[in-house]
Every structure is written in C-alpha cells, then in structure tokens.
Amino acid sequence: MQEHSSSASAPRNLLALGEQELAHLVKESGWPAYRTGQILRWLYQRRIRTIDQMTDLSQADRAKLANDATLKRATDWTVFRSSDQTRKLVLTLEDGLSVEAVLIPEEDRLTLCVSTQVGCTLDCTFCLTGTMGLKRNLKPYEIVEQVLTAQDQLAPDERITNMVFMGMGEPLANLEALSEAIRRLTNKTWGLGWSPRRITVSTAGLASRLKEIAPLGVNLAISLNATTEAQRAQLMPAMNGIASLKNLIAACRRYPLPPNRRLTFEYVLLAGVNDREEDGRRLVKLIRGITCKVNLIPFNPFPGSSFRRPADRNVLAFQSILREAGTDVFIRKSRGRDVLGACGQLGDLSPAHRNGSLTQIESRC
Ligand code: SAH
C-alpha cells in the first residue's frame, strides 16, 4: 500500500507562482480563465496581504483559494533612515536570511536599488557584499517583495521613478529569477506596469549572458572598474576567472542596443589603485566606439576594507580626462553612507566590525 506524504499537498504561496502556474490552479479549481488576472492584480497592483482581501471573489471562492494556497508577504523588516533621507530596508526571508533594498531620493527622482542574491557569487575586493560569500539566490517573489515592501513605505506624495538591480548579488548569476521578477514588474495587465526603460540591471560582466538582458528591454550597466586584465584580476578575482576584460568588452560591442539607448559603464574609483591619469586614458581607449556613458563611483568605505576614497579633486581630474576625450561621464553621488546603504556597503559586517553605529528608526515584526 502506498502512503501519501502530507508535504506533497502543502499549500503554495500565491506569490511564488508564475502566471502559467496560477492559471493552472485556476483551471483546476473550475474557475473561468479571467480569474488568473483578477488574482494577480490583487497581488501586485493592490499589494494585499491576505486572501480574504480579494473582495471581488465570493466568500466561498476565497475560502476555496485559502484552502489550496497561501498568501505570504514579508512580515519582518527594518528601515534604517540616513541623514540624507536614503532609506535602507532590511527584509527577513522565510529561512531567516536577510536581504537589503535601498530607496534613494534625489531632486526629481526616487530610485529603488534592489538585490538579487543573499550575499554574492563574486568576491570583488572593494565590495562588502563580496566578503559575505553567496548564501543563496533569491526567488522571483523575493525580488518582487523588495519592491512591494518599498512601495508600502512610501509617503502618499512619493513615487518610485527608477529601479536599479545594483543591490546585493550578481543579477546575471540569477538570471532566470531576475527575468521572471522583471516580467512581473513590467506586466501592464496585472503586474506593476513599470516601463522597462526605467529599470537598469547592473552586472560585474558575465560576458556570455549579456545578450540575454536585451529581450527584457531594460537598461544594462557594466561594472568595469579596471582597465587592464591584471588590475581586474586583482579587484574582481572571481569575475576575472569567468570572463576576461577583452571578452567582456567584445560582448559589449556586440550587445544589441535598441535605438536611442546606450550602455552604462560603472567605474569604482579607488585612491592610488585605478584613479591615475594612465587609468583614465586606458579607459577612454577601451570603450572607444561603444554607445555609452560612464558613471564614476568614488569608493564607499566599510569597516575592515583597506581601500581609500580618492579626494574630490582627483575624482574631478579623472572625470576631466574622460570628458576631454568626448565621453559622457557622471560622478555618482554617495547616498546613505551613514546607514551602510551606499554602493558596495550592503551586507553583513563580520562580528569584529559590527559597532552598532546604525540607527534603527522603525521595526516591524
Ligand atoms: N554585481 C553587480 C551589482 C552590484 S554592485 C555589479 O557588479 O554591477 C553595484 C555597483 O557598486 C557596481 O558598479 C560595483 O562596482 C559598485 N561598488 C561595489 N562596491 C563598492 C564600494 N565599496 N564603493 C563604491 N562602489 C562600489
């Protein structure tokens, strides 16, 4: 005789289902097909937290759905507010691990920086997340949850204008989940309805996967950070083992850019390491002919790191080298440094460096 295990029929979290899987559940329940969109709109457009809030389903249908599925939104998060009004959200996941997203207000923008992994596949030596190692990939719903929770935090007059996948992790190392999350974020019928033009995916440079970003219609940023193979191997050892600088630049040249779009190259400026005049000149040569702009990111220090942030005049001098060669080049303002919410500062500090300097302003459990 066969025994049935109870886990085989464990109720599924509606947020963990893709559109097809939900359509299957709807069909199995004997409901009309339009119910799939109806349920998805409740999840993503109205951000409900319980099945009972789906008020255009009858009581009986809600009870049936609650019998077959659950609705599990994150219930445990902490917000750290920086003196410059940047907000870092730390979300606790079902398995107790945590992931960070950052809301960055600027004059006419509100950017949300989203994570794709807990920790990171890579080990870039100037990045705090890189020192954590990879704990695990995020699931599509855990990526989307960061956006839903951030939206729940907004004041009535606030609206997120831009989204960047520049938080913890290497997005292209979790490409399937990233793609599914972007589909839910950009779906206009039942999803969050985001224009892909307002979304940017940043990669350390997995050259062979760059082309897979193109069909998503989002912008692509490549973290270059170095201008020679040796320098890149020193700063981004794991990345360099996956793709050489030469192959990466070749993949950028082949990238199928849609009309009126350009690539972004990011370049972390590390004092005395990659911020010299010769570095600037090599950078100009490396990217010559690519339709692009360059974002310079002066190093954001974190406890335990031996790199230094260049003086402002050196950052400006580096910018001038690129500008004089005709490159469009911007300096990224550091935001949220006092709550370790700036580029490269997301992740767990080792116990030796935890000093309680973060001010917790709001907590929900
Ligand atoms: N893995 C992806 C996305 C996360 S990092 C990537 O590498 O692009 C986002 C950006 O922050 C990258 O350009 C990275 O080079 C930069 N960065 C990492 N650590 C930094 C630090 N300590 N200071 C300034 N920028 C940093």
Side-chain angles (χ1 to χ4, degrees):
M1 225 175 84
Q2 219 182 340
E3 281 199 0
H4 292 281
S5 113
S6 58
S7 66
S9 58
R12 292 158 289 181
N13 182 1
L14 289 173
L15 287 162
L17 302 182
E19 187 179 10
Q20 295 307 320
E21 292 160 307
L22 183 63
H24 187 68
L25 188 148
V26 163
K27 197 167 178 204
E28 268 181 351
S29 306
W31 289 329
Y34 68 78
R35 177 133 308 167
T36 306
Q38 214 175 354
I39 294 173
L40 290 168
R41 277 191 289 277
W42 281 110
L43 300 180
Y44 299 111
Q45 297 183 349
R46 303 194 204 167
R47 305 198 303 280
I48 54 163
R49 294 188 165 268
T50 66
I51 289 175
D52 208 42
Q53 288 171 289
M54 299 185 185
T55 46
D56 55 4
L57 269 65
S58 70
Q59 289 282 5
D61 284 352
R62 276 180 265 169
K64 177 165 172 41
L65 187 57
N67 199 40
D68 296 337
T70 58
L71 172 46
K72 280 201 217 142
R73 287 280 314 273
T75 53
D76 184 354
W77 69 84
T78 309
V79 183
F80 298 94
R81 190 183 288 264
S82 157
S83 56
D84 66 18
Q85 301 309 316
T86 296
R87 279 160 283 176
K88 172 159 104 166
L89 314 179
V90 182
L91 280 175
T92 306
L93 306 171
E94 277 165 291
D95 56 4
L97 291 173
S98 56
V99 73
E100 303 180 10
V102 188
L103 269 168
I104 310 153
E106 284 160 301
E107 270 158 34
D108 52 351
R109 290 175 165 213
L110 180 59
T111 302
L112 178 65
C113 178
V114 182
S115 297
T116 51
Q117 298 184 312
V118 184
C120 189
T121 318
L122 305 173
D123 57 358
C124 305
T125 49
F126 49 81
C127 178
L128 175 59
T129 314
T131 65
M132 288 173 66
L134 176 69
K135 300 280 192 277
R136 70 171 172 83
N137 277 333
L138 290 178
K139 310 247 169 47
Y141 73 91
E142 292 171 323
I143 298 175
V144 176
E145 179 68 63
Q146 296 170 61
V147 183
L148 299 176
T149 305
Q151 285 187 320
D152 289 340
Q153 305 298 318
L154 299 181
D157 61 340
E158 282 184 313
R159 199 174 67 88
I160 301 171
T161 58
N162 298 75
M163 200 182 303
V164 293
F165 285 90
M166 294 184 189
M168 297 166 80
E170 169 48 45
L172 298 200
N174 189 16
L175 193 55
E176 227 174 283
L178 172 78
S179 306
E180 173 61 16
I182 289 177
R183 279 193 286 275
R184 296 183 198 182
L185 293 170
T186 53
N187 185 292
K188 293 219 185 303
T189 314
W190 50 258
L192 277 82
W194 269 73
S195 159
R197 289 180 153 266
R198 293 192 290 130
I199 300 177
T200 300
V201 171
S202 177
T203 176
L206 278 79
S208 62
R209 297 197 188 158
L210 290 193
K211 59 182 180 301
E212 295 180 51
I213 292 298
L216 299 171
V218 297
N219 302 302
L220 178 63
I222 297 109
S223 302
L224 216 46
N225 301 336
T227 52
T228 66
E229 301 288 351
Q231 200 179 41
R232 202 162 144 93
Q234 182 210 343
L235 298 177
M236 307 171 77
M239 187 60 255
N240 194 255
I242 299 171
S244 65
L245 188 57
K246 185 165 172 264
N247 286 345
L248 174 58
I249 293 292
C252 292
R253 289 189 191 281
R254 282 195 306 268
Y255 188 77
L257 264 180
N260 303 321
R261 300 265 204 121
R262 54 186 177 171
L263 293 177
T264 299
F265 287 109
E266 294 161 287
Y267 191 92
V268 183
L269 280 170
L270 306 162
V273 177
N274 66 355
D275 67 339
R276 298 155 303 177
E277 196 181 326
E278 70 232 49
D279 296 297
R281 299 206 182 289
R282 273 197 303 261
L283 181 54
V284 165
K285 259 202 193 154
L286 207 55
I287 61 176
R288 185 164 287 153
I290 303 179
T291 309
C292 68
K293 65 172 172 163
V294 174
N295 278 349
L296 300 176
I297 320 176
F299 175 64
N300 294 310
F302 52 88
S305 164
S306 55
F307 291 110
R308 283 176 306 110
R309 185 182 177 88
D312 288 350
R313 64 171 186 286
N314 295 345
V315 174
L316 291 171
F318 196 89
Q319 183 186 33
S320 306
I321 297 171
L322 274 74
R323 186 166 277 165
E324 278 157 25
T327 311
D328 247 348
V329 51
F330 304 90
I331 298 169
R332 187 174 301 163
K333 263 197 238 155
S334 262
R335 305 296 306 269
R337 275 201 280 166
D338 55 344
V339 292
L340 291 185
C343 290
Q345 293 186 316
L346 304 185
D348 272 348
L349 286 175
S350 66
H353 294 297
R354 268 184 216 139
N355 59 9
S357 66
L358 303 185
T359 27
Q360 180 174 323
I361 58 130
E362 195 183 314
S363 168
R364 249 195 83 146
C365 291

